[in-house]
Amino acid sequence: MGIPSGLKSFFSCFSARSAVASESDGGEDIISTLPDDVLSGIVSLLPVKDAARTALLSSRWRDLWASNPLVLDDMDLLLSNPSHVAAVTATVSSAIAAHRGPFRSVSLTCYFAAADKHVLRRWIRTLAAKGVRELVLNNIPWAGFNLLPGALLECRSLQRLRISDWRFPDTSGAAVVRRGESSAAALPCLRELVLSRCTIQEQDLDRVVASSPRLKTLVFVLSFGVPERVRVSSRSLRCVVFWHSEAEELAVVAVPLLERIIIQMSWLSCGIGRDGSDRMRIKISSASMVQVLGYLNHNCHELQIGDTVIKVGKKVAPDAMVPSVKILALSVQFGVRYRSRMVFRFLECFPNIETLHVGSIPDRGPTSKNGDPEFWNEIDSVECVKASINKVVIHGFRWENCEVEFLKSILEGGKMLQKICILQDENISVPEADINGILSLLASLNKGVEMIILAGQDYGIWTYEVVSDPSRNDPFDCQS
């Protein structure tokens, strides 16, 4: 059987340099003696430009490339030909047309003007027809084209979708799953959706989630205010992440399997300068099964449980508590009394916390140096401090008195406490004698608690991929 014309065109885009030693070099071709399944594994791990070169070796290699699930990342081509965008576009078109599928992973960086939008539409439809499983669509927004083709909703084999700098297409024609009809859903296999700097309307987000009966992870990255409200209703979703992102409201409406709500914001967004008028509202039910929540920050977030808005001066009633939460993360501006006091209310909402993470915000108030020994006394009466917290991790620790007073109160009130991990702010330097003195004081308050000090470890190694990984028991633990 002859080589398809599309395949010939694709191979012609690459040099004929052999990937194995030639006889003229005195070398022995050992690789070609390997079984087909081993060679297929080798081809699947190569960048597309190298994988395609193997097809020049023999008809056997050619068949292996065409039949092996394709991994295509056009950045491999763009980095090799940065000034030949048209040639890269032609190469990608040839590769997509020539390969018989399925496509295991495809990453495309789009640089089209609006007049060339038909190229992307053709690519996506071909990928849909050939069973693409993982798709990354990055856009260069200043190229003049930012609306994703509606053909995206035809990719029924998609398991993971990540899009950056796009405007999401109108989804009014998407097939919405109904109970017992998952086979009719528009995206029946989608498990992970990542929206980075994307514009998506509320109704379109609702339809995408409703059209994805296997969706487990929903991530927003560097997204601010579009959509304004994220109302999540899904029978499959397990993790929602706002990564340096904000919305007017996140409402967990009906998500019986949801286990994690992860919210990470920059210190610039969470520190002094916000008066609370533009806080993001987080609404969950007391019957929720959420096990991991954070980072909550009073400067940035308003927490509502059921019909109750959690406020500083009001004790939390039993019907406004969420007993399922085991891991809680808080961002605290120590030394600013009116902002730190919300810590008590947040802790009251979750009576069964086992691990507490505290991020110490660098902005300090007038009491940060001297501390306030009586301020944290109330924490002794909080149920989770007395009866369930066994591990406390404090991030960005600066050894200031306001932080030390907090730890003293936790040590004195924590009947179940077993371990305290102090992750020191990497930008400070404290005399060893001062540190030893503080540690001796803390150790004397509760001799059964293990204390671990780590320097230079903080939020920098965190990524949204890490925190959304279900295999990590504690997504906030950067040491695990």
Side-chain angles (χ1 to χ4, degrees):
M1 178 167 45
I3 304 173
S5 59
L7 201 57
K8 289 180 179 177
S9 174
F10 177 45
F11 294 150
S12 68
C13 298
F14 301 91
S15 76
R17 187 170 63 249
S18 173
V20 296
S22 66
E23 293 182 2
S24 61
D25 294 331
E28 182 181 358
D29 183 1
I30 299 175
I31 294 179
S32 293
T33 65
L34 296 172
D36 283 358
D37 57 342
V38 175
L39 295 179
S40 292
I42 293 173
V43 172
S44 70
L45 296 174
L46 294 174
V48 63
K49 61 186 179 67
D50 295 327
R53 285 189 182 121
T54 64
L56 299 172
L57 303 177
S58 67
S59 60
R60 181 189 179 203
W61 280 96
R62 210 159 31 238
D63 290 340
L64 284 171
W65 178 85
S67 62
N68 201 64
L70 180 65
V71 176
L72 170 61
D73 186 344
D74 66 352
M75 283 303 297
D76 296 330
L77 305 173
L78 286 168
L79 292 175
S80 301
N81 303 279
S83 60
H84 297 86
V85 171
V88 171
T89 300
T91 299
V92 171
S93 294
S94 295
I96 291 174
H99 198 283
R100 68 188 65 159
F103 292 173
R104 189 174 72 189
S105 176
V106 175
S107 178
L108 301 173
T109 300
C110 299
Y111 29 77
F112 301 123
D116 298 320
K117 60 185 179 182
H118 64 281
V119 177
L120 180 61
R121 183 167 57 247
R122 184 178 69 248
W123 285 356
I124 292 177
R125 283 186 169 153
T126 304
L127 294 175
K130 295 185 178 182
V132 64
R133 300 170 192 169
E134 299 182 10
L135 181 59
V136 178
L137 293 174
N138 301 312
N139 189 31
I140 301 177
W142 53 85
F145 175 48
N146 68 350
L147 178 62
L148 272 174
L152 182 66
L153 300 174
E154 300 172 11
C155 296
R156 292 177 55 81
S157 59
L158 263 183
Q159 297 178 16
R160 301 176 70 186
L161 174 62
R162 302 186 182 192
I163 62 176
S164 299
D165 294 296
W166 286 103
R167 185 157 52 94
F168 210 85
D170 175 39
T171 61
S172 56
V176 176
V177 65
R178 294 176 175 82
R179 190 177 298 276
E181 298 180 358
S182 60
S183 61
L187 300 170
C189 300
L190 189 65
R191 298 177 182 272
E192 177 183 280
L193 175 61
V194 179
L195 303 171
S196 177
R197 297 183 301 272
C198 288
T199 300
I200 182 170
Q201 300 304 314
E202 294 174 33
Q203 64 271 21
D204 291 321
L205 178 62
D206 291 344
R207 291 192 193 107
V208 169
V209 173
S211 300
S212 308
R214 296 185 182 179
L215 186 65
K216 296 184 181 299
T217 303
L218 175 62
V219 182
F220 298 89
V221 181
L222 296 171
S223 300
F224 297 94
V226 182
E228 293 183 356
R229 288 174 291 276
V230 177
R231 294 173 54 83
V232 184
S233 178
S234 168
R235 292 194 295 272
S236 62
L237 199 62
R238 294 181 181 270
C239 179
V240 175
V241 179
F242 275 75
W243 194 254
H244 298 286
S245 300
E246 291 184 75
E248 182 179 305
E249 177 181 283
L250 167 62
V252 179
V253 179
V255 196
L257 299 181
L258 187 64
E259 298 173 347
R260 298 183 178 190
I261 301 175
I262 311 295
I263 305 169
Q264 170 67 356
M265 301 181 69
S266 67
W267 294 133
L268 182 62
S269 299
C270 294
I272 290 174
R274 297 182 67 137
D275 59 7
S277 61
D278 58 346
R279 288 182 295 175
M280 176 177 170
R281 189 180 310 110
I282 300 170
K283 299 171 66 174
I284 59 178
S285 165
S286 59
S288 166
M289 297 308 294
V290 171
Q291 299 177 28
V292 179
L293 175 62
Y295 278 83
L296 292 180
N297 184 314
H298 177 54
N299 300 350
C300 307
H301 306 132
E302 176 184 270
L303 179 62
Q304 179 176 333
I305 300 176
D307 296 326
T308 302
V309 176
I310 308 305
K311 297 181 179 180
V312 170
K314 185 178 180 181
K315 293 282 287 185
V316 177
D319 63 353
M321 296 181 182
V322 184
S324 62
V325 173
K326 303 297 183 184
I327 300 174
L328 179 68
L330 304 175
S331 293
V332 182
Q333 198 167 352
F334 289 104
V336 182
R337 292 175 62 99
Y338 73 95
R339 288 179 170 171
S340 296
R341 190 166 292 281
M342 195 64 187
V343 171
F344 304 115
R345 304 289 84 83
F346 283 151
L347 291 176
E348 287 175 347
C349 294
F350 311 104
N352 296 322
I353 301 168
E354 296 177 359
T355 300
L356 174 65
H357 288 265
V358 178
S360 184
I361 298 177
D363 281 331
R364 306 303 190 197
T367 63
S368 62
K369 299 299 181 183
N370 298 324
D372 185 348
E374 298 181 357
F375 178 75
W376 294 104
N377 286 350
E378 184 184 347
I379 210 166
D380 293 352
S381 64
V382 178
E383 181 64 24
C384 65
V385 175
K386 295 188 298 181
S388 64
I389 293 178
N390 58 58
K391 179 180 178 181
V392 174
V393 183
I394 183 163
H395 304 254
F397 200 70
R398 300 174 65 87
W399 303 97
E400 294 182 353
N401 286 346
C402 56
E403 299 168 323
V404 175
E405 292 297 335
F406 169 76
L407 285 183
K408 285 170 60 179
S409 297
I410 289 287
L411 280 162
E412 291 173 335
K415 306 306 181 185
M416 303 299 293
L417 191 61
Q418 299 174 14
K419 180 185 291 187
I420 290 181
C421 298
I422 297 175
L423 280 67
Q424 179 179 303
D425 188 326
E426 61 184 350
N427 297 314
I428 68 162
S429 177
V430 179
E432 186 175 348
D434 292 352
I435 293 177
N436 290 336
I438 293 172
L439 293 177
S440 296
L441 171 63
L442 295 175
S444 68
L445 299 175
N446 193 330
K447 297 185 182 298
V449 176
E450 177 187 6
M451 301 197 68
I452 300 175
I453 316 299
L454 297 168
Q457 300 288 335
D458 211 347
Y459 300 95
I461 64 173
W462 238 29
T463 65
Y464 72 82
E465 292 94 343
V466 168
V467 301
S468 61
D469 181 356
S471 68
R472 296 177 65 94
N473 294 327
D474 185 347
F476 305 112
D477 187 354
C478 58
Q479 298 303 307
S480 63

